Amino acid sequence: MLKSVQVVERSLEKLTKTVEKMEDLSEEEKEFALALVADFEAELDAQKAKIDSFTNETSQEEIRAAIKDLKELNQKVHKMQRRLVGLLVNAKLHVLVEKQAELHAGMQARIDALAGTGADVSGLVEILAEFDAKVTGLKQDYKIAQQKWMEAKDAVDFDQFNRELRDAQHEVRKDLQDIKKILRKFLAEYKEVKEDLSEGKNESENET
């Protein structure tokens, strides 16, 4: 039985180290994951206390039940390790979501620079508005994916939880792909406006 306890303890140590090494996690996500680990540790302590209370008069049935409880706890810990993969994916998606503000600023700066030369930037403004609308949807979808992982503690059916989390993350990835297309469209329009502006300047110089 001592061996079963040590197996669970090693699993929990590994789980804690895994969470602490996840650099892309927000403080909230890391605290949530570590709180789940703490729940497992409390459950293990309760089981250890029960085992310590056993005597020579303890029945084989009680001993078998205690071993079974330890095995089930270890299975729950392993499932949580698999769920952490989903959390890590969420964390990496979060980095990409946060990058959108920087992309907006860069697009706006290009529009402002061209507008200052008198170029027609109406097409670029429309594309930027399309970009902003898609980013709003992206943030909403990411929030859903984040909330889905936060349900990890109460999820009974692990496979269903995993499917729902993957589906939510798929929506975020789809949004990011759509945003890439919008960015390519913006750059193509930007290049065209600059070329038109350059041609206009050359014509003016030739006329003079």
Side-chain angles (χ1 to χ4, degrees), residues 14-195:
K14 183 179 179 182
L15 194 58
T16 301
K17 289 179 182 178
T18 299
V19 174
E20 290 174 344
K21 287 180 180 178
M22 289 182 168
E23 297 178 355
D24 291 332
L25 294 187
S26 67
E27 284 304 313
E28 180 187 9
E29 289 169 330
K30 187 170 287 190
E31 286 175 8
F32 181 79
L34 289 173
L36 293 180
V37 177
D39 287 344
F40 289 140
E41 290 174 338
E43 191 173 339
L44 176 61
D45 287 340
Q47 292 187 19
K48 284 165 67 176
K50 183 178 179 180
I51 293 169
D52 289 341
S53 69
F54 286 172
T55 66
N56 291 334
E57 297 178 1
T58 301
S59 67
Q60 286 299 313
E61 185 179 348
E62 286 180 282
I63 293 174
R64 282 195 295 271
I67 293 173
K68 181 183 177 184
D69 288 341
L70 285 170
K71 286 182 178 178
E72 288 177 353
L73 176 57
N74 198 41
Q75 287 174 354
K76 287 194 285 187
V77 172
H78 281 302
K79 283 184 178 180
M80 184 52 61
Q81 286 175 331
R82 290 167 61 191
R83 287 174 182 175
L84 285 177
V85 174
L87 179 58
L88 185 57
V89 171
N90 265 14
K92 292 183 181 301
L93 290 175
H94 180 255
V95 172
L96 295 174
V97 171
E98 290 299 305
K99 189 179 179 182
Q100 304 312 307
E102 181 184 328
L103 292 173
H104 171 96
M107 295 163 76
Q108 187 63 62
R110 292 188 179 193
I111 290 174
D112 293 342
L114 283 177
T117 66
D120 179 7
V121 294
S122 58
L124 290 171
V125 171
E126 287 180 10
I127 296 172
L128 181 58
E130 182 185 356
F131 172 86
D132 288 341
K134 178 54 70 173
V135 169
T136 298
L138 167 67
K139 289 179 178 179
Q140 291 172 346
D141 287 338
Y142 173 74
K143 191 172 183 179
I144 291 172
Q146 187 179 40
Q147 185 58 44
K148 178 53 62 179
W149 198 90
M150 292 299 188
E151 296 172 6
K153 181 178 179 180
D154 302 316
V156 177
D157 187 331
F158 176 73
D159 290 333
Q160 182 180 348
F161 164 82
N162 233 16
R163 284 195 300 272
E164 290 176 355
L165 178 59
R166 281 200 303 267
D167 288 345
Q169 291 173 340
H170 174 74
E171 289 302 314
V172 176
R173 290 193 181 94
K174 185 174 178 295
D175 290 336
L176 288 167
Q177 288 298 320
D178 290 342
I179 285 173
K180 278 186 179 180
K181 292 176 184 177
I182 295 172
L183 288 172
R184 285 196 291 267
K185 184 163 67 171
F186 180 90
L187 291 174
E189 176 71 13
Y190 175 76
K191 182 179 179 182
E192 187 175 329
V193 173
K194 282 200 73 175
E195 288 175 351

